[in-house]
Structure formats: C-alpha cells, structure tokens
Amino acid sequence: MATLDDLPLRDDLRGSNPYGAPEISVPVALNLNENPNQIPQQVAREVVEGLAEALGRSNRYPDRDFPELRQAFSNYLGNGLNAEQLWAANGSNEVLFQVLLAFGGPGRTALGFGPSYSMYPILARTAFTNWREEPRGSDFSLDPVAVASAISAHKPDVVFLCSPNNPTGTPLSLETIEVAYEAATGIVVVDEAYAEFAPAQFESALQLLPGRERLLVCRTMSKAFAFAGVRVGYLAADPAVVAALKLVRLPYHLSVLTQVAAITALKHVDQMLESVQLVVAQRERILSTLPSLGFLVSESWANFVLFGGLEDPKSTFGALLEQGILIRDVGIANHLRVTAGTEAEVDLFLDSISKLRQQ
C-alpha cells in the first residue's frame, strides 16, 4: 500500500494534516459547536415529505442557480436584500472556498486576525492563496486602527473578519468592519456563522452592504438551525459578487435534496430557532460558573466558551475525556473551548471540571 510520500502530491501539501477535530464517540460531545437540540419533529416530517417528492425528480439535475432557496434566504435576512444578492453552497466552508477561488489565487494574498477560524489558512492554501495573519489583542478583540494598519501593510486581496470570532466568541464592532473596508482594496468577508447566538445589541454587517460592493457577509445553517449534517452555508453581497462565484462553482453543486431541506427549514424559522435561547442560557451558565472555579473566561457572543488559566490543558482535556466529556483544544496556550450543550450536558461538564479543579 502506498503512502503520501509515494504519490506526486503538491509540494505545498507535503507534511500537512487534514482539518478536523477528533471524532470520538462519547456520551457528552461539546467540541464542535453543534446545536445540541434536534430540529422540531413537525419540521422534520415536512422535510422528509419534501425529500420524498424531490427523489421522484432526482434523475434530473437540480436548478444550478436555486432561485427559490436564494429568495428564502433573502426573506430570512431582511435588510432590503433580494435574491440576486444571495448565494449558497454545501456549508459556509465551501462558500468561503469559492470566494478564495474567485478573488484569491496564485500571487494573491488573504489576511486574517488570529486566533480565529482554523479553516481560513487551509482554504487559502488549497486555493493557492498566500496567507497572512496578524495577532488580536490580549483580550482577543480587534482594534480598528490595528486592523487598518495591517491591511495597509499587507495589501490583501481578501480580508477575513469573524463576528463573533471563532474560537474565542469575541464580538466585532461595525466600526472595525467599516474601517477595514475603507483600508482594503480587495474583498472583505465578515463571517457571521454564530450571529444568531449573539445578544440583542449585536449589529450585523448586513446593514453595511449597500454601497459596498466588495463587502461579503457569510452565514451558515449548521449552528443555530441545527443543520450541521445537512451542510448549507450562504452569503449576502452585491449581485456582481454572486456572478463572480458562479464562475468557480462546480456544476450543480447544491443537490435538490439539500435545496428542499433548506427551503423547508426556512419556512419555519421561528420553530427552527426556538432552541437558540436554550443554548444561550447554557452558555451564560458556563460563563458565570467557570470564574468561580478560578478559570479565566473570554466574553462570548457565540454558542461556546473559551476558558483559560489552565496550567496543563492537555491533562484537563484528557481527564474530561476519560469521563466521557469531549471538549476542544484549539491550540491557544493555557486555554480550552467548550460548546454550550444541553442543560444535562453542561451539568456534567461543570461538575466534572469542578472536581478536577479541586484535585
């Protein structure tokens, strides 16, 4: 059997590891920022009925521009958006990859501010785009002046801003986005994958889209909609951006089954998002309890909490895993990240880590 070394692999891929958190079967999985609540049964039944009907025409290719789904997304997002400003793919990762294929590429550069989503540099590398990263503040926030300075120095073709930031949960101000856009000459992507979990004062970059043809706002159905296994991500932008993405998308990339499932879910937005407040309540429990155990917590507007003050994160990770609780080591020194699960899951996590702290 051959190894990677035996194959004519691209030189820039040699020695690389594929993206992915550990896939371990455990009673309490709090490592992937998934919504722990299943979609409502009524919606699930309607999705199944729609899929059954769609299978009857699955011998034909799906509509490659999926106007009905794009209209459903524009209805959900509001902000005066129309269907021509929406685009979707199999998860937000594919949306971001298409952005890099269209606006990055050989000789071009993408810029991010770390620590942030670990897929950004992987997607950039895969799209032959040079990756540059500047550090966040000590509290993981972004200073508008520092952002503008970094953009002026690197002159990136694509800028990634994560709001709220993954893996820290840190909010991002509209001022920072505006400053970044003014400093940049290329594309500015605001990744709002966790927007639905943010508090009421959250201001979406969607309101900044008018008059900013290089600004893109990316979202996903994986988190708040509990659709991680369905794989639907989408973005809002100027129609010209959508036209550009059509140049690099694979033919018929969004299956008829995916389209039907997403359209059906978006017909029941209120029901689909009922679980968001349940998740937020558990996030707030974690945020309020961990400091009393001596941990440092970062402000989080997402469905997870980054906590520090760990002398040996790997030991803590392993001790929790032995108890059937899987969280995430995101590579930040002295920190770990935990997803806000169900009330029972959070009970187990807090009880276990409290006992570990007392040892």
Side-chain angles (χ1 to χ4, degrees):
M1 182 178 294
T3 67
L4 284 178
D5 291 336
D6 299 317
L7 300 175
L9 190 68
R10 279 168 38 185
D11 290 339
D12 63 309
L13 294 180
R14 293 194 181 278
S16 301
N17 294 313
Y19 170 86
E23 292 188 315
I24 305 172
S25 179
V26 293
V28 181
L30 302 175
N31 64 322
L32 294 177
N33 301 341
E34 298 159 320
N35 189 326
N37 305 284
Q38 296 181 341
I39 69 172
Q41 284 301 305
Q42 177 188 343
V43 181
R45 285 193 293 269
E46 192 169 328
V47 169
V48 170
E49 291 171 0
L51 294 177
E53 186 278 329
L55 282 170
R57 48 190 168 87
S58 62
N59 58 309
R60 303 293 185 184
Y61 286 114
D63 190 315
R64 62 176 176 265
D65 290 339
F66 44 92
E68 185 179 358
L69 176 56
R70 291 162 68 189
Q71 183 62 56
F73 278 129
S74 69
N75 293 343
Y76 168 59
L77 293 179
N79 285 277
L81 295 167
N82 58 54
E84 287 70 34
Q85 293 176 268
L86 273 295
W87 187 248
N90 297 286
S92 59
N93 285 327
E94 185 176 45
V95 174
L96 297 175
F97 187 50
Q98 290 176 347
V99 170
L100 285 163
L101 288 175
F103 300 105
R108 295 194 170 195
T109 299
L111 173 67
F113 298 86
S116 195
Y117 185 34
S118 59
M119 273 302 296
Y120 295 153
I122 295 174
L123 291 170
R125 179 194 67 195
T126 309
F128 297 99
T129 306
N130 297 318
W131 176 253
R132 298 290 181 267
E133 187 169 287
E134 291 290 336
R136 290 173 169 265
S138 59
D139 61 353
F140 305 118
S141 64
L142 283 182
D143 174 69
V145 174
V147 168
S149 177
I151 292 173
S152 297
H154 292 287
K155 297 178 173 54
D157 299 279
V158 182
V159 177
F160 287 103
L161 299 171
C162 197
S163 174
N165 186 52
N166 177 20
T168 65
T170 314
L172 180 69
S173 69
L174 288 186
E175 177 194 2
T176 303
I177 298 170
E178 290 176 298
V179 167
Y181 187 85
E182 291 304 315
T185 57
I187 295 295
V188 176
V189 181
V190 181
D191 185 351
E192 292 187 348
Y194 299 92
E196 286 90 351
F197 298 104
Q201 64 264 38
F202 172 75
E203 294 183 294
S204 172
L206 291 168
Q207 63 186 280
L208 299 179
L209 286 174
R212 294 181 175 89
E213 70 280 356
R214 293 178 289 104
L215 182 64
L216 286 60
V217 182
C218 185
R219 290 203 178 184
T220 183
M221 296 186 77
S222 294
K223 311 300 181 182
F225 281 83
F227 247 37
V230 180
R231 310 306 300 130
V232 185
Y234 57 104
L235 66 70
D238 190 275
V241 171
V242 174
L245 298 184
K246 289 180 181 180
L247 299 176
V248 298
R249 58 97 184 270
L250 294 175
Y252 311 104
H253 70 286
L254 210 55
S255 79
V256 64
L257 303 181
T258 301
Q259 293 182 39
V260 166
I263 290 168
T264 305
L266 289 164
K267 289 179 180 177
H268 302 278
V269 168
D270 290 343
Q271 288 175 270
M272 291 294 290
L273 298 183
E274 282 178 352
S275 65
V276 167
Q277 290 309 310
L278 299 176
V279 173
V280 168
Q282 298 311 312
R283 177 194 71 200
E284 294 304 306
R285 280 185 66 204
I286 298 170
L287 283 170
S288 63
T289 302
L290 289 182
S292 68
L293 301 176
F295 295 104
L296 305 173
V297 297
S298 298
E299 180 182 18
S300 176
W301 285 18
N303 68 334
F304 54 82
V305 174
L306 182 76
F307 62 101
L310 294 154
E311 292 184 7
D312 188 353
K314 293 189 183 300
S315 175
T316 301
F317 176 91
L320 289 170
L321 185 57
E322 288 179 0
Q323 299 177 53
I325 302 170
L326 179 60
I327 61 174
R328 187 78 177 267
D329 184 344
V330 293
I332 301 175
N334 306 115
H335 285 74
L336 292 170
R337 191 191 70 191
V338 59
T339 303
T342 64
E343 182 177 3
E345 290 172 336
V346 172
D347 283 343
L348 288 169
F349 165 72
L350 291 176
D351 180 64
S352 296
I353 202 160
S354 175
K355 290 176 180 176
L356 287 174
R357 197 64 163 174
Q358 295 167 12
Q359 292 178 358

